[in-house]
């Protein structure tokens, strides 16, 4: 009995697997997008609360942060998966009328992924806000600008430049994190691979195909980020000189 | 008629008294040089006048505006109004890094004085020309030398037409060869009739341009008079000692 290399691994099968997996890319991207929105909104809230040292909100945010960073994403997904229906049922027992079965599984996943990522995003945002030169804030204050004006016109533009690399990292983290949502029964590309491999037992080819897909998505995103980051940076060269 | 009246201004950092009941009356057109040893409250005095520092006690009056410290009631509103009458030039320029020279000068005109973009641009261009930086209008601060940045900062302050200009060691962060260009601009501004309060270690410059000199020590004004009086014939031993030291630094054979 001779063993053939293709018994263990067939590159051809990898290429065949890719188009079938790609069909579920919209779910993966949708999941990443919604979790990103959750993470950026919550991250902004926590980041600003901690930057401004708002009393109660700041301490709540710090506790939340510590929990989210100190527990695995997978565990948090399970907690959301079992926890959200439980909470809804409690609401129902108080007289609300929510059909728990109608809440899409997708919601559990992007709440969990989004909250997890928000912990990291909030720190990125806080650090970016804190890195803005205090002198510029003083200059604005001294000329009579209000704090909201300074925040919007001086702090934000600078903080965005500082925060973007970190936020872009978190988007990539979320793209990869969506693979964990398969454990919540969401058929995105990783779950799709499980299903397909269950039929022909070609797990290795399937996972290699998956790795390639995640990598390509990340590569494309990195290109986009490069362009966006360049746009927010102070140009190396001055704008065209005025004609005087 | 005084333009600004300060009474009993006191400020502590922790338990360290930095301003110890300062009384000061400023008249329109005064060019006041503030000198004294380091850590005697010169910068704190300036920063307290426009409330970048919060003194614990005292009062600041500007025309109809009167601010009693500590702040209460609608004190915050008064602070903002007070600031709109004052311009400040900082040691480290503090230009908005993400804005061009022109946008830096336009910023306060648009956000504080509610001028249209066109009006603001017109004023800003005039002020940049005034400091000799018209052709640098589209440059970002990081593309400019320290001296140029400070000149933009001065233009930014002048554009607001302040009644009083506070200059907090405007040349201390500059390379020696850039000091002159900034001092020349300040001299030009002084000649335009602005009221100024200038904290600086450039004694010769203060001697030349100021109409009045304050010598601060230990949070108190211990000398107040014309440059001739204060530099030429100081009353206090502390000031005499300080000026003697400053003069020693200038001797050609002085070696550290």
């Amino acid at each position: 009995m001779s063993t053939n290399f293709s018994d263990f691994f067939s590159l051809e099968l990898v290429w065949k697997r890719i188009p079938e997996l790609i069909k579920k890319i919209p779910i993966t991207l949708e999941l990443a997008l919604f979790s990103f929105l959750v993470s950026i909104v919550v991250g902004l809230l926590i980041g600003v609360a901690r930057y401004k040292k708002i009393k109660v909100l700041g301490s709540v945010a710090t506790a939340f942060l510590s929990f989210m960073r100190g527990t695995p994403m997978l565990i948090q997904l399970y907690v959301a998966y079992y926890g959200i229906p439980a909470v809804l049922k409690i609401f129902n027992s108080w007289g609300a009328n929510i059909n728990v079965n109608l809440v899409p599984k997708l919601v559990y996943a992007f709440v969990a992924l989004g909250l997890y990522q928000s912990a990291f995003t909030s720190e990125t945002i806080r650090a970016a806000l804190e890195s803005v030169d205090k002198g510029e804030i003083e200059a604005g204050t001294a000329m009579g600008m209000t704090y909201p004006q300074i925040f919007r016109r001086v702090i934000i533009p600078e903080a965005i430049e500082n925060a973007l690399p970190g936020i872009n990292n978190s988007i990539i983290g979320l793209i990869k994190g969506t693979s964990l949502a398969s454990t919540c029964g969401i058929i995105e590309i990783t779950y799709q691979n499980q299903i397909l491999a269950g039929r022909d037992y070609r797990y290795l080819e399937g996972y290699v195909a998956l790795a390639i897909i995640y990598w390509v998505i990340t590569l494309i995103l990195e290109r986009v980020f490069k362009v966006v980051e360049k746009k927010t940076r102070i140009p190396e060269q001055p704008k065209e000189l005025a004609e005087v | 008629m005084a333009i600004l009246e300060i009474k009993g201004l006191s400020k502590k950092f922790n338990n360290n008294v930095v301003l110890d009941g300062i009384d000061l009356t400023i008249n329109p057109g005064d060019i006041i040089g503030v000198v004294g040893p380091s850590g005697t409250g010169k910068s704190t005095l300036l920063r307290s006048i426009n409330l970048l520092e919060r003194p614990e006690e005292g009062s600041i009056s500007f025309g109809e505006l009167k601010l009693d410290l500590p702040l209460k009631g609608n004190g915050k509103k008064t602070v903002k109004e007070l600031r709109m009458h004052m311009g400040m030039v900082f040691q480290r320029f503090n230009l908005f890094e993400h804005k061009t020279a022109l946008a830096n000068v336009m910023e306060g005109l648009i956000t504080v004085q509610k001028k249209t973009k066109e009006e603001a641009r017109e004023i800003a261009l005039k002020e940049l020309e005034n400091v000799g930086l018209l052709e640098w209008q589209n440059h970002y601060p990081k593309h400019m030398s320290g001296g140029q940045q400070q000149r933009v900062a001065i233009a930014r302050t002048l554009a607001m037409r302040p009644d009083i200009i506070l200059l907090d060691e405007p040349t201390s962060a500059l390379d020696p060869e850039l000091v002159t260009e900034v001092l020349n601009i300040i001299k030009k501004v002084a000649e335009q009739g602005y009221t100024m309060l200038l904290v600086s270690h450039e004694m010769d410059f203060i001697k030349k341009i100021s109409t009045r000199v304050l010598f601060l020590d230990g949070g108190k004004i211990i000398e107040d008079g014309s440059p001739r009086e204060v530099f030429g014939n100081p009353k206090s031993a502390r000031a005499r000692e300080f000026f003697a030291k400053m003069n020693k630094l200038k001797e050609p054979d002085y070696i550290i």
Side-chain angles (χ1 to χ4, degrees), chain B residues 158-222:
Chain B
L158 294 183
M160 306 284 281
R161 297 275 168 272
D163 294 302
I164 300 173
I165 304 176
L166 310 168
L167 299 109
D168 187 9
E169 303 203 25
T171 57
S172 301
L174 296 175
D175 290 340
E177 76 259 37
L178 301 176
V179 170
T180 325
E181 66 176 78
V182 172
L183 290 184
N184 283 337
I185 296 292
I186 296 174
K187 185 161 173 278
K188 196 169 150 189
V189 174
E191 285 162 1
Q192 287 167 0
Y194 280 101
T195 306
M196 300 195 332
L197 210 61
L198 167 67
V199 172
S200 178
H201 291 289
E202 303 284 337
M203 295 299 156
D204 290 331
F205 182 69
I206 286 187
K207 234 181 259 181
K208 219 183 294 169
I209 72 152
S210 54
T211 59
R212 184 176 163 196
V213 176
L214 306 179
F215 185 93
L216 253 69
D217 190 44
K220 283 189 170 123
I221 298 174
I222 59 170

Side-chain angles (χ1 to χ4, degrees), chain A residues 26-82:
Chain A
I27 306 287
T28 293
L29 293 182
E30 195 181 330
L31 203 52
L33 177 71
F34 282 122
S35 343
F36 172 67
L37 290 180
V38 171
S39 78
I40 204 86
V41 170
V42 179
L44 206 64
L45 224 71
I46 298 174
V48 173
R50 274 165 61 86
Y51 169 69
K52 293 293 298 170
K53 300 195 170 63
I54 299 171
K55 272 180 198 145
V56 181
L57 198 56
S59 342
V60 172
T62 307
F64 170 81
L65 212 83
S66 160
F67 177 78
M68 292 316 266
R69 288 201 297 193
T71 50
M73 198 189 217
L74 186 61
I75 308 295
Q76 290 174 19
L77 263 166
Y78 282 134
V79 170
Y81 186 68
Y82 295 109

Side-chain angles (χ1 to χ4, degrees), chain A residues 29-144:
Chain A
L29 293 182
E30 195 181 330
L31 203 52
L33 177 71
F34 282 122
S35 343
F36 172 67
L37 290 180
V38 171
S39 78
I40 204 86
V41 170
V42 179
L44 206 64
L45 224 71
I46 298 174
V48 173
R50 274 165 61 86
Y51 169 69
K52 293 293 298 170
K53 300 195 170 63
I54 299 171
K55 272 180 198 145
V56 181
L57 198 56
S59 342
V60 172
T62 307
F64 170 81
L65 212 83
S66 160
F67 177 78
M68 292 316 266
R69 288 201 297 193
T71 50
M73 198 189 217
L74 186 61
I75 308 295
Q76 290 174 19
L77 263 166
Y78 282 134
V79 170
Y81 186 68
Y82 295 109
I84 293 175
V87 170
L88 292 179
K89 277 175 196 158
I90 291 171
F91 281 152
N92 281 345
S93 72
W94 290 342
N97 189 17
I98 307 161
N99 188 341
V100 177
N101 296 325
L102 278 186
V103 178
K105 287 175 184 164
L106 219 53
V107 173
Y108 307 142
F110 73 65
V111 166
L113 288 173
L115 289 181
Y116 175 82
Q117 200 59 51
S118 74
F120 297 90
T121 305
S122 75
E123 280 300 86
T124 304
I125 289 172
R126 183 175 69 105
L129 289 169
E130 274 168 8
S131 69
V132 174
D133 178 20
K134 298 283 173 294
E136 291 174 46
I137 299 172
E138 279 193 347
T141 311
M143 65 169 73

Side-chain angles (χ1 to χ4, degrees), chain A residues 234-238, chain B residues 136 139-145 148-149:
Chain A
I234 303 167
E236 281 308 320
Q237 291 297 320
Chain B
W136 288 78
H139 287 239
Y140 286 88
K142 74 167 181 178
H143 302 128
M144 309 174 109
S145 73
Q148 289 172 324
Q149 290 190 46

